[in-house]
Amino acid sequence: MKLQRKNRLRALSLGAVAVSGALALTACGSDDNGGGSGSSTSSASANASSIKCDNAKGQLLADGSSAQKNAIDAWVKNFSQACGVQINYKGSGSGAGVTAFTQGQVAFAGSDSALKPEEVTASKKVCSGGQGIDLPMVGGPIALGYNVPGADNLVLDAPTIAKIFDSKITKWNDAAIKKLNPTAKLPDLKIQAFHRSDESGTTDNFTKYLIAATPANWKYSGGKAWQAKGGQSAPQSAGVAQQVKQTSGAIGYFELSYVADGIKAVSIDTGASKPVAPSTESATADIAAAQVVGTGKDLSLKLDYNTKAEGAYPMTLVTYEIVCDKGNKADTLPATKAFLRYIASEDGQKILSTINYAPVPDEIIAKVRTTIEGLS
């Protein structure tokens, strides 16, 4: 009898929690920065009721970072449902997105690297009276996904990663890998290292990590285009992930949301007390230390790629939405502002952690929201 009474009380307690949760969601109303709930399903319903469409209409063309494609897809689904605006985000890669933006082909672009000075200059031709600016919107770890039969919980450090992607370590049972994984059963298998074939901000951030963490082993200058010799290539994050999934002995770099069945992720020995696995939490720990280095309305960030802080994953990226601060096209400005306002809102940012991305730190995203309101 006591056990039955205890179970009945527990059920009543859980029911009360469920009701209070439902009431909390209902109370979100039209508050643009109202709270989501941490699950993608309930976040979507909360978002749909809190999005401010203003005068948004028609359709938007956008292109750029494939690393943020899964985040953009989730946002577009909610925004289009609420506002009826069609958004076509191609996800062709950061290089293609910036080019499309500076040629006036898209309303905004996504890039995992901030605009270079020459790209800002080019943007002035399409931003009448203004220029392109960087708005940090999506954070996340760059995972090293691998497909090595029998090798679970693989640990690598910066020098070893550099040598793998520079074709200087070519077998999975190499002594350097064995030293980092003394209990692993590493096969005598050729390493198939995959990099991006297109210009990519993910490549830029990956190589910035190698340059910062192991300059003696990575002598290349870095940038969106892959520079090291050897290896194999594939287009966009999805393409690299697909090659890793279907190739025994493969390893490649891509955003964590592309780690799926058949792909495992490397933990990195940063010099902290224990190796750090890529996750929303470990990326947030690194991005939280980022500094705003952009001037004026530009909010480009400087990340710490060589962090040794406990629990901080060093190989992170931040994706920027690139838009004109002034001189946006009149027919796309309302929809552009409404969409950017939504994805920078508390609701929009809360979706990220449910799909393996990291929200932008509060202090920085607050500046992004203010900047969006001033777009013209």
Side-chain angles (χ1 to χ4, degrees), residues 8-88:
R8 189 161 54 249
L9 288 172
R10 182 173 179 270
L12 289 170
S13 175
L14 289 172
V17 170
V19 171
S20 65
L23 290 173
L25 280 176
T26 305
C28 286
S30 60
D31 180 7
D32 185 54
N33 292 329
S37 72
S39 79
S40 55
T41 303
S42 48
S43 289
S45 62
N47 273 295
S49 66
S50 64
I51 295 171
K52 293 182 179 179
C53 302
D54 290 339
N55 297 312
K57 58 184 178 180
Q59 63 177 336
L60 293 179
L61 297 180
D63 198 2
S65 164
S66 63
Q68 72 165 358
K69 181 71 164 59
N70 293 334
I72 289 286
D73 287 349
W75 282 329
V76 166
K77 181 179 180 181
N78 289 339
F79 183 78
S80 296
Q81 180 182 349
C83 301
V85 175
Q86 180 182 352
I87 300 177
N88 180 7

Side-chain angles (χ1 to χ4, degrees), residues 159-224:
T160 308
I161 294 167
K163 291 173 185 176
I164 287 173
F165 281 89
D166 201 20
S167 302
K168 292 178 180 176
I169 292 179
T170 59
K171 290 288 189 75
W172 280 110
N173 61 351
D174 186 275
I177 302 177
K178 281 185 174 180
K179 186 177 180 180
L180 291 162
N181 301 272
T183 62
K185 296 180 179 179
L186 296 167
D188 182 14
L189 180 65
K190 182 181 177 181
I191 295 174
Q192 308 278 359
F194 283 89
H195 58 264
R196 289 282 289 273
S197 60
D198 52 326
E199 289 203 356
S200 160
T202 309
T203 294
D204 189 17
N205 284 276
F206 175 52
T207 54
K208 279 179 179 175
Y209 159 71
L210 294 176
I211 291 167
T214 184
N217 294 294
W218 196 260
K219 300 292 188 180
Y220 305 98
S221 60
K224 291 189 181 82

Side-chain angles (χ1 to χ4, degrees), residues 263-276:
I263 301 177
K264 300 167 187 173
V266 169
S267 292
I268 297 180
D269 183 346
T270 64
S273 64
K274 60 182 179 179
V276 185

Side-chain angles (χ1 to χ4, degrees), residues 144-148 151-155 172 244 247 249-252 254 262-267:
L144 281 176
Y146 69 98
N147 178 359
V148 182
D152 297 324
N153 305 314
L154 191 69
V155 175
W172 280 110
V244 171
T247 306
I251 186 170
F254 33 79
I263 301 177
K264 300 167 187 173
V266 169
S267 292

